Amino acid sequence: MSSSTILTVDFIRPVYAHELYPGDMFAFFGAPRTVLTVVDTDEVPVSADLTLATLTLAGCDRPLALPDTTRLQALRMVRMMLMDCLLCGKREDIELDLPRCGEPLALICGAHGPEPAADAAPAAA
């Protein structure tokens, strides 16, 4: 049985601070070479209009508090998603690093792998 095929589009959008999870890596647009790794996250409501995303970062003594709508450049965001096969509807968990692999649009499960070419030689027994 062949593996699944996933159709993706490039992940070019910025992410917001509240979208980050432990293990994610990001940079500020003004400092793209400074890679930061999230160890833990929390959200602190300050008012009806403002929530702070509190990010504990690897190598930093204190958590970083940012408005939850702060735009960041994602460098690593591994996410597990449940998708349905376009052809048979079978549900399948997929894991993608969004900045590297792209955002998923569609899945074709491994049961629908490519057919052998008509002119291909038969397999030896």
Side-chain angles (χ1 to χ4, degrees), residues 11 15 19-27 35-38 73-79 95-101:
F11 186 83
V15 298
E19 294 180 87
L20 296 174
Y21 293 120
D24 290 347
M25 298 170 76
F26 72 96
V35 178
L36 302 165
T37 302
V38 178
Q73 180 182 0
L75 302 173
R76 180 180 187 272
M77 283 180 67
V78 176
R79 297 294 186 267
E95 183 178 270
L96 293 174
D97 181 357
L98 299 178
R100 186 176 61 79
C101 301

Side-chain angles (χ1 to χ4, degrees), residues 4-8 10 15 17 24 27 29 31 33 38 40 43 54 59 65 70 72 86 92 100 102 104 109-110:
S4 298
T5 301
I6 303 165
L7 175 67
T8 63
D10 288 342
V15 298
D24 290 347
F29 285 103
R33 292 190 188 130
V38 178
D40 194 19
E43 289 189 3
T54 306
T70 301
L72 304 165
L86 278 177
E92 193 171 307
R100 186 176 61 79
C109 75

Side-chain angles (χ1 to χ4, degrees), residues 19-123:
E19 294 180 87
L20 296 174
Y21 293 120
D24 290 347
M25 298 170 76
F26 72 96
F28 289 99
F29 285 103
R33 292 190 188 130
T34 303
V35 178
L36 302 165
T37 302
V38 178
V39 175
D40 194 19
T41 65
D42 195 12
E43 289 189 3
V44 179
V46 175
S47 70
D49 299 328
L50 177 64
T51 298
L52 296 178
T54 306
L55 307 174
T56 303
L57 304 173
C60 294
D61 295 336
R62 294 181 174 189
L64 175 66
L66 302 169
D68 66 343
T69 57
T70 301
R71 294 165 34 120
L72 304 165
Q73 180 182 0
L75 302 173
R76 180 180 187 272
M77 283 180 67
V78 176
R79 297 294 186 267
M80 182 68 75
M81 294 162 229
L82 186 61
M83 294 188 71
D84 297 332
C85 174
L86 278 177
L87 302 176
C88 67
K90 177 184 169 192
R91 301 194 94 177
E92 193 171 307
D93 281 324
I94 60 163
E95 183 178 270
L96 293 174
D97 181 357
L98 299 178
R100 186 176 61 79
C101 301
E103 291 193 83
L105 290 179
L107 171 105
I108 303 208
C109 75
H112 308 287
E115 296 293 324
D119 60 351

